[in-house]
Amino acid sequence: MFRVRDEYRRSQVAIAALFCFLGFQYATWVSRIPALKTRLDLSEAELGLLLMVCGAGAAVSFPLVAVLTKRLGSRRLALVSALCLGLVLLALAITPNYPVTLLIVCCDGIAVGCLNVAMNAQAAALEVKYRRTTMARMHATFSAGSLFAALLASGVTTVSSALIAHFGTATALLALLVLVTRNGLLTEDQKPATETESSERKRRGGLTLPTRVTIWMGLAMAFGTVTEGAMNDWSALYLKDVVNAAAELAPMGIAVVSVMMVLARVFADGWRTRWGDARIVRAGSALAGAGLALALLVGGVVPTLLGFACVGLGIAAVTPCVYVAAARQGSDALALVAAMGTTGLLAGPAMIGFIASGTSLVWGMGAVAASALVVSLCTTRIRFPALADA
């Protein structure tokens, strides 16, 4: 009994280190975008393209990820992609010009897509092997890694503005995280739900098409990440321009959403064990949509912040639970769902911007509320696995 518990804890820590790794790596270079912009003398359009290329690399990586997962397994894929992401940081520190930087950032996006799928496959397999919910805590660890990266960036830049000093320190810390993962990652991936595959999978000319369930999962993930991404990008502006909050209160929108998401993910695994993934996701996304919509109708700083809190609390468990369900469908489904999530994260803020420019930011935020409600509707078509099903 104690041996099983120790093995579970060792694997849990190792996989959590992967989530922390990804959050830390991405937030590290993103936090230095102003320095990269100045060093390479980029225009606003060139900077926008740089960010788009990173996201596009992650979004289009899913065919490659599916193949690599089958050939290497999630454990090897995680370690290889982690190595690539560490090298990306060092390359960004010494990049000589804009075209090379575009190539480096595109590689970063592809490696992010690989690690994202690999680490979620590991976490899903951990839940199946030990019959314990842990995915939500893993995603909370990702958020913690991003927070630590922001703190490190602030600390290092007070000593030196050189990118090589910052990214070199970050790469050393990433190497330590990889050492933590070395002996704890699972060697076998979760097998797909063969019954579902045989009944729903369709083949045309040798090409494996996604099942209906996989498409619903992808839509749920896409609209869920639209909600997350839009709240991060537009909440502060909404408080300032629409609610007329004081300048010092405007950043509280992002803070409220982020804190509620981290707290919810810390406790969400217990909720999943008690009530099941389906209830948590459907009720949570409905709470996010309804709470934000009500806040938009009422107006005022306090109601708006309460509405933002509802979004953070309600949407937090969507991504972890959908990843678990997708992992049961196999590596192809997991890769596709992850890619759609990345696409939603990229498209969400831009979509809200287009709506706001054509109407107003109130209608733009209304679209965010609608996205959360769409998640709830999509998940009625998904059969979320219980631990007993594994």
Side-chain angles (χ1 to χ4, degrees), residues 64-348:
L64 174 65
V65 174
V67 172
L68 291 178
T69 302
K70 291 175 182 177
R71 292 187 177 181
L72 301 178
S74 62
R75 180 179 181 274
R76 290 182 180 176
L77 180 59
L79 295 174
V80 170
S81 54
L83 174 62
C84 293
L85 287 170
L87 294 176
V88 161
L89 277 186
L90 295 178
L92 282 174
I94 59 175
T95 180
N97 53 50
Y98 182 61
V100 172
T101 305
L102 285 175
L103 177 61
I104 293 171
V105 170
C106 182
C107 292
D108 180 82
I110 294 172
V112 165
C114 291
L115 182 54
N116 185 35
V117 171
M119 71 188 190
N120 278 286
Q122 283 278 314
L126 182 68
E127 289 198 345
V128 170
K129 182 176 182 179
Y130 293 100
R131 303 290 199 272
R132 300 177 68 173
T133 53
T134 191
M135 181 68 84
R137 290 192 183 93
M138 297 297 179
H139 283 259
T141 306
F142 173 89
S143 300
S146 298
L147 176 60
F148 180 50
L151 295 176
L152 178 68
S154 178
V156 171
T157 51
T158 59
V159 178
S160 172
S161 61
L163 286 176
I164 189 64
H166 180 192
F167 289 175
T169 302
T171 302
L173 293 174
L174 290 175
L176 292 178
L177 285 173
V178 171
L179 290 177
V180 172
T181 70
R182 186 178 56 181
N183 296 323
L185 295 182
L186 301 177
T187 56
E188 294 185 4
D189 293 334
Q190 180 185 351
K191 301 300 181 183
T194 54
E195 181 180 348
T196 302
E197 283 190 327
S198 61
S199 63
E200 293 194 26
R201 176 160 289 184
K202 300 178 181 178
R203 296 180 181 274
R204 181 182 300 165
L207 176 65
T208 300
L209 300 178
T211 65
R212 291 188 298 272
V213 173
T214 300
I215 293 173
W216 284 113
M217 290 177 185
L219 290 173
M221 181 69 81
F223 282 103
T225 53
V226 163
T227 305
E228 287 187 39
M231 290 303 297
N232 287 333
D233 284 30
W234 291 101
S235 57
L237 189 63
Y238 181 85
L239 280 169
K240 178 178 178 292
D241 291 351
V242 178
V243 183
N244 296 318
E248 59 271 17
L249 287 178
M252 287 300 295
I254 299 175
V256 166
V257 175
S258 299
V259 169
M260 291 305 296
M261 285 192 70
V262 172
L263 289 176
R265 284 174 172 172
V266 168
F267 293 103
D269 287 319
W271 301 339
R272 293 173 60 207
T273 301
R274 183 173 181 178
W275 293 302
D277 289 10
R279 289 182 180 178
I280 294 299
V281 172
R282 291 166 194 165
S285 52
L287 171 66
L292 180 57
L294 184 60
L296 298 178
L297 290 173
V298 174
V301 175
V302 173
T304 298
L305 290 176
L306 289 175
F308 289 177
C310 287
V311 175
L313 176 63
I315 212 70
V318 170
T319 300
C321 291
V322 175
Y323 270 129
V324 170
R328 274 186 57 79
Q329 304 300 314
S331 58
D332 289 349
L334 181 59
L336 178 60
V337 168
M340 291 186 72
T342 302
T343 302
L345 197 63
L346 293 172

Side-chain angles (χ1 to χ4, degrees), residues 31-53:
S31 68
R32 299 307 301 275
I33 284 177
L36 286 169
K37 182 176 183 294
T38 300
R39 177 182 172 182
L40 299 173
D41 193 24
L42 304 181
S43 66
E44 298 297 334
E46 288 173 327
L47 182 59
L49 178 61
L50 185 70
L51 296 175
M52 186 180 298
V53 164

